[in-house]
Amino acid sequence: MPSQSALSADEKSKVKSTLDNSTQKILTATAARIYFAHPRPNKWSYGGLQGALIFLRDNSKDAFMLRLVDLTGTRGVIWEHELDEAFEYHQDRAFFHSFAGDLSVHLQFKENYSLLSKKCMVGFVFADEKDAKTLYKKVTNRKADNVQPSSSEKKSSKGGRTNKSMISGPIAGSFVHVLNELEGSGISREVINQDMDFIKDFIRDAQIMSSKLDNSPEVQMQELRRQDDCPSEAEDAIQRAIWIELGNAPLRLLNTSTGLLCDRAAQINAFKMSAEYKELLSITTKHSDLQMGRIKEMVAIYFRCVMLSHRWEEKEALLHDIQDQDVLELMGIGGIAKLQSFCKVARDAGYCWAWMDTCCIDKKSNTELQESVNSMFVWYRHSALTIVYLSDVLPSSQPDALARSVWNERGWTFQELLAPKVVIFYRRDWSLYLDDRSPNHKESPAIMKELEDATGIDAQTLVAFRPGMSGAREKLQWASKRVTTVQEDVAYSLFGIFGITLPVIYGEKKQNALGRLLQEIVARSGDISVLDWIGEPSEFNSCLPAHITSYATPPRTLSPLSEDHIHTQVSSLRQTVAADLALKFYDQLEQLRAPRFANCRLHLPCISFRVTEVRGWRGLAQETSITYKIKADGLHDQQITTEEALVQFSRAKPIQQTFLLIRPWDWHLLGVPDFAEQADFAGDTESVGDWTDPGSSMDDSDELPGDSPVEEEHSSRALQLMVRLGQPFDAFLLAQQCVGEYKRIASDYKIIAQVKDIASVDNMDVGTIDLQASGTITSLRVHNSLTVLSFLPWRLLLHFPALLVFRMEADIQMIRNLIFKPVTFIEQFESHQRVEAPMQRLFAKATICVLVKCALEESSFG
C-alpha cells in the first residue's frame, strides 16, 4: 500500500484481500464516495457506494483499473472500471473528480446477487484532498503504452467498424451533430466515411423507434419513453428524502424483520424493494407540493429508527458476532438475548430499524468510530424512540428503582437521557417500568420526578434539553457524578451535550481528553465559569481540573445588587473618583479580548492584584495540605489551603518570583446587553416612532447645556462597573513560572476575595495573563525546588563554589532527588566532578540539608 494512504491497517487488509497478489499491484488508495450523472451529465446523485478507492495495475491484462472496496461490510469489490487508452480523467475540484464511464453496482440481498450497469458520468468525492491529488497524478501519468482497449469501451480511431454504442442517436434531428460527436470520440473522418451507410441506417432505425414510442396508443410504452428521456421527478424527490433521513441516522442498522445488520446501501436497497417505494414511484410531483410532502412523510416513516440505551454487561453482542447473520436465529444467551428482545420490542412497535451500540459500530475502523462518537447525540436526538433497558430493575421493584439504577451513573447514558424526545423504560424482564403504557415516559410525572431526584436536573430541562455552550458550568456539574469504563469516554460522552465535534484519540488519557473538551468550550463560548472548580489541576493546563468530579460543587452565585444600592454607591463614587479615571478604567476592560487557548496555553483576560506576603503553617488535622496567609495590594487578607509547596516571603524579605491574585474578566460586568439573547425579539415590527416619548423632540437644537446624554450615560456605566467590582469574587492564585507565564495554584476551597476600597483603581492591573500547560506533578514540584535554589542569597552561594556550580548547571535528575531522595542527592553532589575540596563538600552538605528542610517543610529562609 502507498505511504500516503489514509486508510487504517485493518482497512488496508480488506483492500489487499480483494487482489490477485501475483498479477495485481496497488498504485494508490484512499477513501471515497461514488456519484453518478445520468442521463444529464450535470445532474449528480449519490450512488450509495463508499469505501476504499484503489488505482491498480493488472499485469495479467496489461491494464490499469479503478476499484471500490467495501470497508464497512464483507462485500469485497463493489465497483470497478478498466481504463483504456482513450480514458480521460478530470479533476473538477480538489475533492471531486469525474470521467465518462459506467456505474456497475453489486447489490446483495440475503443469498441473491445482481449486477446493475448503466452508461453515465461517474464522479468521486474524496475525504482527503491530498490523497485525491495523488490519485489524479497517478491516473493521468499512468504508463499505458502496451495497454489494450477494453472490449466494453469504444474502439480507437485506428480502423475497424464503428460500434453502435459510440452513437448517441439523433438529437433534434441533427445528423451533423452525430458526426461531430463521433469525431469528438476519437473516430477519424476516414473511418466515418467508410461506415457512412451503417451510421445512416442506425440513425434511421432509431428515429423510427422513437416515432413509434411517441405515437404508441399504449400508455406503458409512452411512459417508458418518458422515463428514458428524463429521470423520474418522483425518483429524484425520493432519493433526496432518503438522504435527508439517513443523514441523521446511524451508519449501520438492524433490520427488525430480517434480523440482518445493514449498511446504508443495504438499507436503501431494502426500501427500493418495499411496497412503499413502488407506491411512491407512481406519484408525479409536477405542480403538487402536497404530493412532495407525501414522499417525505412516507420515507420518514419507513426509515424511523429505534435506539437502545443500556448499561454494558460482561457479555455483549459485538459486530463480529452478528455480521452476515440473522440475529433472530442465533442462540439466545448473554448479550444476544438482550439484542433479540430489543429487536422484537422495536418490531412489535411497528419499526423497521433498530440500533444497539455494542454491535452496530465497527470499532476497528477509525473513520467509523470517529463519526459514531461525534454523531451519537444527533442519532439519539432524531430517533423515533429510545428504549432504555434497566437490567438491575426487577419486575417486583419499588417505584424508586429507576432513581437507584446504575444506568443513572454511567457516562454515555447521560446524553442518551437528554437527547431523545421519546423514551420508554423497560425492566429486566422487558416489561414496562411501573407498568406505564404511555407512548412517552418523558410525559409521565412519576417517572420524571424520579429522574429529577436522581440526576439533580429539573424535569423541564430533561424534557426540553438543548445542546450547546449555554450553561456550560451547570452541565459539567450534572456530568460530574457520571463514570465510564474507558477513561477518555468521560470527555467523549459529552461532545454532543455541548454540540462539539473533536477528534477521538483513545489512549490519550483522561486529563488530555477532558482538557481538549474544556479548551474548546472556553475558546468557542468565552465562558470563564468552566474555570470554576475545586480539586487537582490538570496536566493539560493548570487552570483546568484533572477530573470532572472537580465540578461537583455548585458554582457560587451572588445575589444581584438592587437598583437603589447601585444608585447610592454611584452617587458616593462621584464625589471620590475622577470621571476621566473611571472612564479610562472602563475602556481598558471593554477592550479586553475573550479568553483563548493556543498550544495548551490559556490567554486569560483578568484584573490582577500583586501578592505581597505568603506565610504558612500546617494544621494538626492536615496531613498533606498547608494553609497560607496571603496578603495582596488592594484586597482583604486571605487564607488559602493547598497541597502545593509555596515559597514564603514578605515585604521585608522579598523574592524574585511574582505571585498574583486575579479576577478572571467577565464582560457581563460592563452592564451592556447581550444581543445574542435578544435575537428572539428581532421580529418585532414596532417602528422607531413607537419608542419615542410623545412630548420629546428629535431635534439636536433642544439639547441642554453641559455634558451630552451619551457622555453622561457612559460615565454612569463606568461608575456602576466599579460598584460591581466591589462585590466579593472568586479569585485564582497564580505563581510565576518564567517571564510572562504563570501557573494556577489549586486550592482545597474556593478563594473568595474582595477589594478594600472600590474607589481605588491604582492597585488593579488590567491585562491578559498566559497560563502555561502543566507537566506532571513531579515536574511541578521540581520547578518549585528550582525556585527555592534560585532564591538562595548570592552571599551564601559565593561561600560555596560547588553549590554555585550546581546552581548554574541545574541538573534536573539531581533536583528530583533533592525533592524525593535527599540522601541520594547528597551522594550525587559529593561525587560531582567539579567538587574537589573536602571542606567544600562538608559545607555544601550542610547547606543542602538546609535546602531540603526548606523544600519539604516550606519554612522561610529567615
Side-chain angles (χ1 to χ4, degrees):
M1 296 295 293
S3 59
Q4 71 271 16
S5 174
L7 304 176
S8 67
D10 291 337
E11 291 168 341
K12 290 180 181 179
S13 298
K14 278 192 175 183
V15 170
K16 289 180 179 179
S17 67
T18 65
L19 301 180
D20 182 349
N21 294 328
S22 62
T23 61
Q24 295 178 339
K25 178 183 178 182
I26 296 177
L27 302 179
T28 187
T30 185
R33 282 183 172 181
I34 292 186
Y35 285 70
F36 66 91
H38 175 79
R40 287 173 284 182
N42 61 344
K43 187 172 182 180
W44 293 93
S45 300
Y46 178 48
L49 299 175
Q50 63 181 3
L53 179 65
I54 60 177
F55 178 53
L56 61 87
R57 173 69 180 265
D58 190 337
N59 294 324
S60 64
K61 297 181 179 180
D62 198 17
F64 294 93
M65 301 187 72
L66 289 168
R67 175 178 290 177
L68 193 71
V69 177
D70 181 23
L71 294 179
T72 59
T74 58
R75 294 182 295 160
V77 179
I78 54 179
W79 175 89
E80 66 179 15
H81 184 87
E82 184 176 329
L83 281 58
D84 71 334
E85 288 184 1
F87 180 79
E88 295 184 2
Y89 191 69
H90 308 287
Q91 188 178 27
D92 303 270
R93 298 286 190 276
F95 57 87
F96 182 76
H97 301 173
S98 66
F99 66 92
D102 57 32
L103 185 71
S104 300
V105 186
H106 294 271
L107 298 175
Q108 177 186 1
F109 184 73
K110 285 200 171 181
E111 306 301 327
N112 301 319
Y113 293 84
S114 62
L115 177 67
L116 303 179
S117 179
K118 62 173 77 172
K119 293 289 181 182
C120 62
M121 288 295 296
V122 180
F124 300 137
V125 174
F126 299 92
D128 187 283
E129 292 186 8
K130 184 178 179 181
D131 287 354
K133 184 177 181 181
T134 300
L135 178 70
Y136 177 74
K137 288 182 178 180
K138 294 281 187 180
V139 172
T140 55
N141 296 330
R142 66 190 182 279
K143 296 179 181 179
D145 296 339
N146 299 321
V147 176
Q148 300 298 323
S150 170
S151 60
S152 64
E153 297 297 325
K154 305 170 185 178
K155 291 186 178 181
S156 68
S157 60
K158 294 186 178 180
R161 194 158 182 80
T162 306
N163 192 324
K164 285 187 179 183
S165 66
M166 304 176 69
I167 306 176
S168 65
I171 297 180
S174 173
F175 180 75
V176 176
H177 172 84
V178 175
L179 298 182
N180 291 337
E181 185 178 281
L182 289 174
E183 286 184 333
S185 300
I187 306 300
S188 68
R189 172 63 67 172
E190 181 182 359
V191 173
I192 293 175
N193 291 335
Q194 292 176 357
D195 292 337
M196 186 62 69
D197 292 338
F198 168 80
I199 295 172
K200 289 180 179 179
D201 290 343
F202 175 80
I203 294 176
R204 183 176 60 254
D205 292 343
Q207 288 174 334
I208 293 172
M209 180 60 67
S210 175
S211 176
K212 287 182 178 180
L213 286 174
D214 288 338
N215 299 320
S216 173
E218 298 183 15
V219 177
Q220 293 180 347
M221 293 295 291
Q222 293 182 1
E223 178 65 17
L224 178 63
R225 173 57 190 268
R226 187 188 69 81
Q227 292 181 1
D228 185 65
D229 285 344
C230 64
S232 166
E233 292 185 18
E235 191 173 6
D236 284 349
I238 294 170
Q239 191 70 26
R240 289 194 301 270
I242 289 174
W243 284 109
I244 289 174
E245 289 302 315
L246 294 182
N248 294 319
L251 305 176
R252 304 167 189 267
L253 292 172
L254 285 159
N255 190 316
T256 59
S257 298
T258 65
L260 295 175
L261 181 64
C262 302
D263 59 11
R264 289 277 171 84
Q267 294 165 36
I268 295 174
N269 187 45
F271 177 59
K272 289 185 176 180
M273 298 181 67
S274 67
E276 292 88 343
Y277 181 73
K278 295 177 182 178
E279 178 184 347
L280 289 177
L281 281 181
S282 64
I283 298 177
T284 173
T285 59
K286 293 182 178 180
H287 313 296
S288 177
D289 293 336
L290 179 62
Q291 290 173 342
M292 182 65 70
R294 176 62 175 161
I295 289 176
K296 294 179 180 179
E297 179 185 358
M298 290 184 67
V299 169
I301 291 174
Y302 181 86
F303 284 101
R304 291 180 306 171
C305 173
V306 180
M307 308 283 285
L308 179 67
S309 175
H310 65 118
R311 179 197 174 190
W312 279 47
E313 297 173 272
E314 185 176 353
K315 292 184 178 180
E316 293 288 352
L318 304 178
L319 178 64
H320 65 81
D321 296 325
I322 69 167
Q323 201 160 25
D324 301 323
Q325 300 191 64
D326 183 347
V327 300
L328 303 177
E329 300 297 329
L330 297 177
M331 186 176 296
I333 58 174
I336 296 294
K338 182 198 295 188
L339 176 61
Q340 291 172 337
S341 298
F342 166 56
C343 289
K344 182 178 183 301
V345 170
R347 183 187 61 201
D348 292 346
Y351 297 98
C352 295
W353 304 102
W355 186 87
M356 183 175 178
D357 55 355
T358 63
C359 57
C360 294
I361 300 176
D362 184 1
K363 298 177 179 63
K364 294 182 180 180
S365 170
N366 292 331
T367 302
E368 183 171 339
L369 185 61
Q370 291 270 349
E371 183 172 353
S372 298
V373 170
N374 280 291
S375 304
M376 206 167 294
F377 184 94
V378 175
W379 294 347
Y380 277 95
R381 188 68 157 188
H382 288 85
S383 65
L385 168 66
T386 292
I387 289 177
V388 178
Y389 178 62
L390 306 172
S391 59
D392 57 347
V393 175
L394 302 177
S396 59
S397 58
Q398 299 299 314
D400 62 343
L402 171 58
R404 292 183 284 104
S405 173
V406 179
W407 181 84
N408 277 309
E409 301 173 1
R410 306 303 297 174
W412 284 107
T413 59
F414 182 42
Q415 70 170 359
E416 294 163 11
L417 167 64
L418 296 177
K421 299 175 182 177
V422 181
V423 175
I424 296 180
F425 293 89
Y426 285 84
R427 294 176 288 212
R428 177 187 290 182
D429 64 345
W430 290 92
S431 61
L432 290 167
Y433 181 66
L434 299 184
D435 296 322
D436 189 328
R437 299 189 177 279
S438 61
N440 185 5
H441 284 175
K442 279 197 171 184
E443 297 175 355
S444 167
I447 293 177
M448 294 312 295
K449 181 63 170 64
E450 278 194 59
L451 290 172
E452 186 176 35
D453 294 340
T455 62
I457 308 172
D458 66 271
Q460 182 59 33
T461 301
L462 291 173
V463 172
F465 176 80
R466 297 179 61 182
M469 301 295 176
S470 178
R473 178 59 175 79
E474 186 178 29
K475 292 173 182 175
L476 290 169
Q477 182 189 345
W478 296 339
S480 64
K481 301 176 183 178
R482 302 275 175 162
V483 294
T484 58
T485 302
V486 180
Q487 57 177 316
E488 293 89 351
D489 283 343
V490 167
Y492 300 163
S493 62
L494 297 178
F495 284 0
I497 299 293
F498 293 99
I500 287 175
T501 299
L502 288 174
V504 176
I505 314 171
Y506 282 107
E508 67 174 324
K509 303 304 179 185
K510 175 175 60 179
Q511 293 193 30
N512 201 71
L514 183 59
R516 289 195 297 117
L517 170 66
L518 299 176
Q519 170 184 270
E520 188 72 7
I521 294 173
V522 173
R524 289 177 55 178
S525 68
D527 188 352
I528 61 172
S529 67
V530 172
L531 310 180
D532 179 10
W533 52 269
I534 296 174
E536 179 186 343
S538 173
E539 296 176 9
F540 185 87
N541 187 281
S542 63
C543 225
L544 300 176
H547 312 287
I548 199 168
T549 53
S550 296
Y551 290 109
T553 303
R556 191 178 66 91
T557 56
L558 292 174
S559 300
L561 297 175
S562 66
E563 291 294 330
D564 291 340
H565 178 77
I566 294 177
H567 180 74
T568 301
Q569 292 293 316
V570 168
S571 299
S572 176
L573 287 174
R574 290 186 189 277
Q575 310 301 321
T576 58
V577 179
D580 57 343
L581 184 62
L583 288 171
K584 180 181 178 181
F585 186 62
Y586 183 94
D587 291 340
Q588 282 182 306
L589 291 170
E590 190 178 33
Q591 292 172 14
L592 287 176
R593 298 178 61 184
R596 61 187 178 89
F597 272 91
N599 298 323
C600 298
R601 281 173 164 77
L602 172 61
H603 305 283
L604 182 65
C606 62
I607 302 173
S608 60
F609 305 84
R610 189 179 184 90
V611 175
T612 59
E613 183 175 318
V614 174
R615 294 284 184 181
W617 67 90
R618 191 187 301 273
L620 295 177
Q622 294 174 320
E623 296 181 359
T624 58
S625 299
I626 306 168
T627 300
Y628 294 91
K629 183 177 181 180
I630 306 291
K631 291 186 177 182
D633 288 335
L635 296 178
H636 292 289
D637 294 350
Q638 298 289 322
Q639 282 190 359
I640 298 174
T641 303
T642 179
E643 295 184 8
E644 294 276 356
L646 303 182
V647 179
Q648 302 183 56
F649 63 93
S650 64
R651 290 185 186 274
K653 298 174 183 178
I655 59 174
Q656 295 179 4
Q657 188 181 22
T658 300
F659 285 82
L660 300 174
L661 277 172
I662 68 164
R663 176 175 193 156
W665 175 239
D666 182 359
W667 66 268
H668 290 91
L669 293 171
L670 291 173
V672 296
D674 186 346
F675 295 104
E677 295 177 357
Q678 297 180 3
D680 294 338
F681 298 98
D684 199 333
T685 57
E686 289 183 297
S687 65
V688 174
D690 294 329
W691 293 89
T692 307
D693 291 337
S696 66
S697 172
M698 301 294 287
D699 192 348
D700 292 341
S701 62
D702 292 338
E703 289 185 4
L704 297 175
D707 294 337
S708 69
V710 174
E711 292 176 349
E712 176 62 25
E713 181 184 356
H714 195 186
S715 176
S716 177
R717 187 175 293 171
L719 293 175
Q720 290 177 24
L721 169 64
M722 296 184 66
V723 173
R724 296 187 187 96
L725 292 177
Q727 292 292 101
F729 62 92
D730 292 339
F732 299 165
L733 177 61
L734 306 184
Q736 183 184 13
Q737 302 300 288
C738 58
V739 178
E741 287 196 352
Y742 290 80
K743 180 190 74 172
R744 178 178 175 180
I745 305 298
S747 173
D748 293 353
Y749 306 96
K750 289 189 176 182
I751 305 174
I752 309 300
Q754 186 172 17
V755 297
K756 292 179 179 178
D757 182 9
I758 60 175
S760 175
V761 297
D762 297 337
N763 296 321
M764 302 183 192
D765 292 330
V766 177
T768 299
I769 289 180
D770 289 351
L771 289 144
Q772 68 174 208
S774 302
T776 61
I777 299 302
T778 299
S779 65
L780 292 179
R781 290 175 177 172
V782 166
H783 198 106
N784 285 337
S785 300
L786 283 170
T787 303
V788 171
L789 288 177
S790 67
F791 298 141
L792 191 66
W794 278 97
R795 184 161 49 95
L796 180 60
L797 290 172
L798 292 174
H799 283 79
F800 302 106
L803 191 57
L804 178 59
V805 170
F806 173 78
R807 183 181 189 274
M808 295 174 65
E809 293 187 358
D811 184 89
I812 296 300
Q813 184 58 46
M814 295 178 73
I815 293 292
R816 289 196 178 102
N817 289 335
L818 168 62
I819 295 299
F820 301 106
K821 301 177 182 178
V823 176
T824 303
F825 172 81
I826 293 173
E827 292 174 353
Q828 287 181 331
F829 194 91
E830 287 181 335
S831 63
H832 198 286
Q833 61 179 357
R834 298 286 296 275
V835 182
E836 298 175 355
M839 188 60 69
Q840 289 181 350
R841 287 201 300 269
L842 179 61
F843 286 137
K845 184 184 297 185
T847 304
I848 292 165
C849 288
V850 173
L851 290 176
V852 172
K853 178 179 176 62
C854 293
L856 298 182
E857 297 184 8
E858 295 81 38
S859 62
S860 67
F861 286 120

